[in-house]
Amino acid sequence: MKRAFVPAGIVATGIVVMVAALFAAGGAPKRAPDGLLGAGLAVSWAVPVLRILADAAAVATGGAVLAVVLFLPAKDGKLGKKAIRACQDAAAAAGIWAVASIGGLIATATVILGIPLSHLAEHANAAGQLSQVRALAVAVVLTAVLALILSGAKTLRTARLAAVLTIAALIGPLLTGHGAIDRTSLWSVLATASLVVHVVAATAWIGGLGAVLRYTRSREAVELFSTLAFVCAVTMGITGLLTAEIHLGGREDGWGLITQWATSGYGVLVLGKTLAFALLVFIGRLHRQSTIPRVATGDAGAFRQLAVLELAVMAGTIGLAVALSRTP
């Protein structure tokens, strides 16, 4: 019961932060003007909520697959008991990811078309033409296939294939976000590429931490994760600042990160996410200075308490990221 409470609490933290950020930045769904039907507030709120649930499931999937590929040893290419259990966990998470993506697809189509959910079937052709809906449809297919493959995974080769499919499923929806609106623009291409790298690095960092916490806290795994986390943190810092600067209009109006961080809702959220990232870097430093040396002496439990706090902060950053994607 306690083990189930921790991940549920972490996901709840992300949702609370996301809702607060949407209201603070002006991206919260609003009622349709008088005389227009619209999708309704419930469906409009379902879009970001389902998005954060899909993101959480994606992180869990990626983390479990990462544990199998990097942290849990395979003998002659055959997975051990812990690795097979991790694959089963990843399969379940991929299934949740697929279901959340289906819900997100339906809610997104309804909101973009500005119609009640009950009328969506009548506008199926129009919904199918939306790039966001098509990207989510691809994600649904990939995550469903991923769940099927992982449920029967017994070899390291299969786990590596699952890792590739996980990355592919992550990338699709990113190609229809803020940075992908003007596909002929060099800045748009750069912003989208930067966002893709940013999300993959974040998934590896957050998912990897959860995987080490759940499957193995051996000295070798913790030290390997520490190196991976450092690479991911540097990558996220660079790509995050680059993507934010492009979206804030720095390419046209000067340094948007300086001029708009407190004058626009998007800028405020970027500032909040930057502060959360700085806190994560500080926690990572504490890991290197304190917990890793203790793990090296055989105290495997030293990693847990600080890691749970780190995951809660990470959930908050995911909430901010979802709010950013919904903020003009």
Side-chain angles (χ1 to χ4, degrees), residues 180-191:
I181 295 174
D182 180 10
R183 295 180 184 176
T184 62
S185 166
L186 175 62
W187 287 108
S188 174
V189 173
L190 181 59

Side-chain angles (χ1 to χ4, degrees), residues 3-218:
R3 288 186 177 183
F5 175 78
V6 172
I10 289 172
V11 173
T13 298
I15 293 175
V16 170
V17 171
M18 178 198 71
V19 172
L22 283 171
F23 276 112
K30 298 178 176 61
R31 292 185 181 277
D34 291 339
L36 297 178
L37 291 176
L41 275 180
V43 176
S44 297
W45 272 109
V47 174
V49 170
L50 288 167
R51 167 71 185 276
I52 200 169
L53 291 176
D55 287 352
V59 166
T61 303
V65 172
L66 187 67
V68 176
V69 173
L70 291 184
F71 304 141
L72 301 174
K75 185 176 182 180
D76 299 326
K78 302 292 184 181
L79 301 181
K81 289 183 179 180
K82 278 190 177 182
I84 291 176
R85 179 164 66 91
C87 285
Q88 295 296 320
D89 289 345
I96 295 172
W97 186 2
V99 171
S101 296
I102 291 172
L105 183 156
I106 294 171
T108 297
T110 304
V111 169
I112 293 176
L113 294 176
I115 58 175
L117 182 60
S118 59
H119 293 186
L120 183 59
E122 304 169 16
H123 298 81
N125 290 335
Q129 298 301 313
L130 299 172
S131 59
Q132 295 93 330
V133 170
R134 289 180 174 180
L136 285 169
V138 171
V140 169
V141 173
L142 288 175
T143 49
V145 172
L146 184 60
L148 182 63
I149 290 175
L150 284 166
S151 64
K154 304 292 183 182
T155 66
L156 185 58
R157 178 179 294 181
T158 305
R160 288 171 175 166
L161 172 60
V164 174
L165 287 175
T166 301
I167 294 173
L170 282 170
I171 290 175
L174 301 177
L175 303 181
T176 58
H178 282 310
I181 295 174
D182 180 10
R183 295 180 184 176
T184 62
S185 166
L186 175 62
W187 287 108
S188 174
V189 173
L190 181 59
T192 302
S194 179
L195 180 61
V196 166
V197 174
H198 185 84
V199 169
V200 172
T203 301
W205 187 7
I206 303 171
L209 176 61
V212 171
L213 193 60
R214 177 170 174 78
Y215 302 112
T216 175
R217 282 174 245 169
S218 67

